[in-house]
Amino acid sequence: MPRLSNELIDQINAANDIVELVQGYFPLKRAGAMWKARCPFHQENTPSFTVNPQRQMYKCFGCGAGGGPIKFVMQYENLDFHAAARKLAERGGIRVEDGLMSAEDEAKVSMRRRLLALHAEAAEFFHQQLMKKPSAQVARDYLKGRGIGSDVAKSWKIGFAPDEWDSMRELAHAQRFSEEELLESGLVKTRDEDRPRSEFYDRFRGRVMFPICNDTGEVIGFSGRVLAPDAKAAKYINSPETMLFVKGAVLFGLHKSKRALIDRGSVIVCEGQLDLITAFEAGVQNVVAPQGTAFTERQARKLKQYCEEVVLCFDADLAGEKAAERSLDALLAASLAVRVATMPEGEDPDSLIRGKGADAFRERIAAAKDYFDFVIDRETAKPEFATTRGRVVAVRKLAGAISKVSDVMLRTAITNRASERLEVSPQEFARLLTTPKIERPDPSPEALQPRLEFSKAISNLLLVALCDADARLWLQEQAWEEIAGVDPNEDLLEKVLLAEVEVTNPVSVNSFLTSLTDQEQDAVVDVLENGLIQSAAPSSNDKVFAKPDGTAGTLWFPMLTANDVWRAISRERVRHRLDACQVRLRQLGLQPDEVSKLQKEVLDLKSHLANLGRLFSPPL
């Protein structure tokens, strides 16, 4: 497969600062010389994801993920190497010539780039329709009635899809997009779903259009609201899933509201786009809306990057209650505190704010109850709760909800509170609880790969070979064939020894990382971020090796360490062979010439062991 040149990879890495890159996706907090966050690649409560600006690397000390800018984009956006490199090249203003990828990879990268461009053009087209076209007056009147003026429409790039069948075809033709790109975008539908190339028509017609953006603000899809009050069509329709838009991974408005989520430490979850926009423009900006009514684990984990608490603000009807219940699993799995805000009868956040102001909405949010208290209040208020059967139903329902709490202390506290209010003994109530079972998506192939494990000796050799050119050259000259097989993963050490990597140069390190497998990349980053080598003997080559958290390091001596480790490995191999010879000598029935040969080998091995001498510093 064609490969990007090392020079181009170096350019791409140098043009994308790792801290700025990661902060474009989720917040980081400074911790000394490092930056930290909760890892986006696995569930955790304590931040173990670190970003090292000096080395231009990220490393999670929980799941082991690590690497440079390209690897991060590969993991976070689920892209292959070439697609991630291309994305970062464009971000850094670097031109990537065609022909450096396989035809298949080139096609994927090109399609993604073209779809982003097509969505941007479509968003502008819909917006201009809303702002200028007489046919969009009904949409402008509708938005005006919902308190959305031109300034807000411009800020959110709200648009209008004309009630036509082929406006998207005309747009694509005018902007030189192909029919294939138009079909892949989801902006059109085919008349015959069993014939993908059959005649197609606009998916969105006669609707107010809300662009859906990814974390960095790129338009990746649309949500269209019907205008006709008596329309038989669905009230809202969204773009279908494409290579850009995955419904369960996107939160509407997050690209605008994430700063407010960090500042408040809490997020208000609204049910619809207009609820969110009205709240945001009224000053309540820590808001998001899922693409649907229930959270996925991926969406919940994304929120955990920004805050600790979720306030569900779904409609005060049965559908809203069901939506809250369906969201609970994913939110509790992400260890988020969950509260429920109730709206006045017949109101939603949009109508409440427009009718009574933002403070009335804030009061409802401040009064939001803990989810389990909300459920208890709702169940005990039902007339049937007065009956034995009704009480049993309520107890079982609440037990099912509490069973989803994985934190033992929190579960015990909720159980005690619930049993008291439902007039059931804590013991009896606890018997109804089950072990939490959270449905999780299939792990990616990368997540299934085991982490490489090294002996301490090989880890230390990896570190000195990476961090000191003289030590690396000295190790290259040693007789490696004598100790072959000392570690099942010593191939990586060979790659490090042959590399011209400068550990103090982030570009050089990241260039080397891109030549390794994903597992090897994680291992090298782990060695660099974790390794600390101590040596007792003084040396003119004293250096300070910084700890991962940026605190004061430990003096270590690369050449001395390399010599010590090499001698330790050699001595171990000699001892192993010496023990084998001595065991053989003790066996009965050996021929005299074999005995003589073994005795000579024993003497040679003992001599070799003596020549190796004692270590220059205490054994590692």
Side-chain angles (χ1 to χ4, degrees):
M1 178 184 295
R3 175 178 169 79
L4 302 181
S5 68
N6 291 334
E7 292 76 12
L8 183 57
I9 292 172
D10 292 349
Q11 277 186 281
I12 292 170
N13 283 320
N16 289 275
D17 178 76
I18 190 75
V19 175
E20 292 180 3
L21 175 66
V22 174
Q23 284 186 322
Y25 291 92
F26 56 84
L28 295 171
K29 291 185 178 180
R30 185 180 286 278
M34 310 290 281
W35 295 79
K36 284 192 171 185
R38 290 188 180 88
C39 181
F41 307 124
H42 81 289
Q43 185 56 53
E44 62 178 7
N45 294 324
T46 303
S48 60
F49 181 91
T50 63
V51 179
N52 186 327
Q54 285 74 38
R55 290 205 178 103
Q56 288 293 294
M57 290 180 180
Y58 70 95
K59 171 68 182 177
C60 176
F61 294 94
C63 68
I70 296 177
K71 178 74 176 298
F72 174 79
V73 173
M74 288 174 66
Q75 285 190 286
Y76 195 89
E77 296 204 22
N78 195 28
L79 300 176
D80 60 27
F81 175 83
H82 290 101
R86 173 86 65 169
K87 183 179 180 71
L88 288 180
E90 292 174 355
R91 181 179 185 271
I94 299 169
R95 179 175 174 79
V96 178
E97 299 291 343
D98 294 338
L100 294 176
M101 305 184 192
S102 69
E104 182 181 358
D105 285 342
E106 180 65 42
K108 289 179 181 178
V109 172
S110 177
M111 180 60 77
R112 180 181 176 85
R113 184 173 66 249
R114 294 288 289 170
L115 290 183
L116 284 171
L118 177 53
H119 276 77
E121 291 288 350
E124 183 63 26
F125 170 79
F126 292 139
H127 183 62
Q128 292 304 320
Q129 290 284 318
L130 175 70
M131 303 302 289
K132 298 179 179 180
K133 296 296 182 179
S135 60
Q137 188 60 47
V138 62
R140 290 192 289 270
D141 291 343
Y142 168 78
L143 291 172
K144 184 178 179 180
R146 301 296 295 263
I148 304 294
S150 60
D151 288 344
V152 175
K154 289 177 183 177
S155 176
W156 291 86
K157 219 169 187 66
I158 301 172
F160 173 69
D163 195 6
E164 300 173 0
W165 295 96
D166 57 358
S167 61
M168 288 295 98
R169 185 201 298 271
E170 293 176 1
L171 172 70
H173 179 74
Q175 299 297 330
R176 299 183 183 279
F177 290 98
S178 69
E179 183 176 301
E180 179 186 9
E181 290 164 348
L182 186 56
L183 287 167
E184 287 290 331
S185 73
L187 291 168
V188 296
K189 296 176 66 174
T190 56
R191 294 192 184 278
D192 186 346
E193 294 183 356
D194 295 328
R195 296 169 56 211
R197 298 299 177 188
S198 64
E199 185 179 354
F200 54 84
Y201 59 93
D202 288 3
R203 180 180 298 274
F204 302 101
R205 302 181 310 282
R207 290 175 179 265
V208 173
M209 299 297 289
F210 300 94
I212 300 170
C213 297
N214 61 17
D215 298 3
T216 55
E218 297 170 313
V219 180
I220 57 174
F222 293 92
S223 181
R225 191 196 191 282
V226 72
L227 289 169
D230 57 347
K232 295 180 180 180
K235 185 177 179 181
Y236 280 94
I237 59 172
N238 293 329
S239 292
E241 295 209 349
T242 66
M243 67 189 311
L244 297 182
F245 177 63
V246 178
K247 182 178 178 181
V250 180
L251 291 166
F252 181 82
L254 182 61
H255 67 293
K256 283 180 173 286
S257 65
K258 54 188 178 183
R259 184 70 256 172
L261 267 62
I262 300 168
D263 294 340
R264 300 283 297 182
S266 175
V267 60
I268 302 165
V269 178
C270 297
E271 195 165 359
Q273 285 91 355
L274 279 172
D275 289 333
L276 181 143
I277 292 172
T278 299
F280 188 94
E281 296 299 330
V284 184
Q285 297 188 337
N286 56 322
V287 286
V288 298
Q291 296 305 132
T293 54
F295 267 94
T296 66
E297 185 183 349
R298 190 169 174 182
Q299 289 170 322
R301 192 165 64 238
K302 185 173 289 188
L303 286 181
K304 185 68 172 180
Q305 297 292 323
Y306 300 92
C307 58
E308 298 288 343
E309 178 190 69
V310 173
V311 180
L312 298 176
C313 195
F314 294 145
D315 290 348
D317 55 17
L318 183 60
E321 292 178 4
K322 293 293 184 183
E325 290 176 4
R326 290 196 299 272
S327 298
L328 189 64
D329 285 21
L331 295 173
L332 292 178
S335 297
L336 286 159
V338 182
R339 293 193 293 142
V340 179
T342 57
M343 296 294 103
E345 188 70 29
E347 299 270 25
D348 57 24
D350 171 56
S351 62
L352 178 63
I353 292 171
R354 286 188 292 110
K356 298 182 180 179
D359 286 342
F361 180 62
R362 290 190 181 95
E363 289 174 4
R364 289 281 172 169
I365 298 301
K369 295 181 179 180
D370 173 84
Y371 176 82
F372 297 100
D373 287 330
F374 167 78
V375 174
I376 293 172
D377 288 346
R378 186 185 63 189
E379 294 300 319
T380 55
K382 293 178 179 179
E384 54 266 32
F385 184 74
T387 68
T388 301
R389 178 177 175 77
R391 186 175 303 240
V392 169
V393 169
V395 169
R396 291 188 181 281
K397 186 169 188 177
L398 194 61
I402 296 175
S403 292
K404 298 168 184 175
V405 179
S406 57
D407 185 282
V408 176
M409 296 294 291
L410 179 59
R411 182 195 276 222
T412 301
I414 297 171
T415 299
N416 290 337
R417 189 165 74 243
S419 62
E420 180 180 354
R421 293 197 57 189
L422 296 174
E423 299 178 10
V424 180
S425 73
Q427 296 78 13
E428 291 295 328
F429 195 91
R431 290 193 184 97
L432 297 174
L433 302 182
T434 59
T435 303
K437 291 183 179 180
I438 306 299
E439 294 295 328
R440 300 180 183 274
D442 292 336
S444 64
E446 184 174 282
L448 293 174
Q449 294 179 350
R451 295 168 63 177
L452 296 181
E453 300 291 341
F454 300 95
S455 64
K456 188 173 183 181
I458 294 296
S459 293
N460 287 335
L461 288 181
L462 279 170
L463 186 57
V464 295
L466 284 165
C467 294
D468 189 80
D470 292 336
R472 184 164 65 247
L473 288 173
W474 182 84
L475 287 169
Q476 288 175 2
E477 296 170 356
Q478 305 311 305
W480 285 95
E481 66 277 2
E482 294 182 6
I483 63 167
V486 69
D487 192 289
N489 295 309
E490 61 191 26
D491 287 349
L492 178 56
L493 178 58
E494 182 179 356
K495 292 180 181 180
V496 170
L497 291 175
L498 296 176
E500 296 296 328
V501 59
E502 300 174 34
V503 76
T504 56
N505 182 346
V507 174
S508 175
V509 172
N510 281 303
S511 179
F512 172 61
L513 288 175
T514 58
S515 69
L516 305 176
T517 67
D518 289 338
Q519 289 174 292
E520 290 172 339
Q521 286 189 54
D522 292 345
V524 169
V525 174
D526 191 52
V527 167
L528 287 174
E529 295 298 290
N530 271 324
L532 281 176
I533 298 180
Q534 300 183 38
S535 184
S539 167
S540 60
N541 293 326
D542 290 357
K543 297 184 180 181
V544 175
F545 185 85
K547 295 179 181 178
D549 60 4
T551 58
T554 301
L555 286 176
W556 69 288
F557 318 103
M559 284 297 296
L560 198 57
T561 299
N563 198 299
D564 281 357
V565 176
W566 176 263
R567 285 170 174 262
I569 293 174
S570 299
R571 286 169 67 87
E572 185 62 29
R573 299 293 286 180
V574 171
R575 285 197 189 97
H576 180 75
R577 179 57 187 163
L578 181 59
D579 290 343
C581 289
Q582 289 174 333
V583 169
R584 179 67 176 154
L585 276 172
R586 288 195 291 271
Q587 293 180 352
L588 301 176
L590 295 179
Q591 298 296 320
D593 58 336
E594 187 176 0
V595 172
S596 176
K597 183 178 179 180
L598 285 170
Q599 288 175 336
K600 182 179 184 306
E601 185 173 359
V602 167
L603 291 174
D604 290 342
L605 289 170
K606 287 182 176 180
S607 175
H608 186 30
L609 200 58
N611 287 337
L612 283 173
R614 68 179 183 83
L615 297 179
F616 290 173
S617 62
L620 296 172

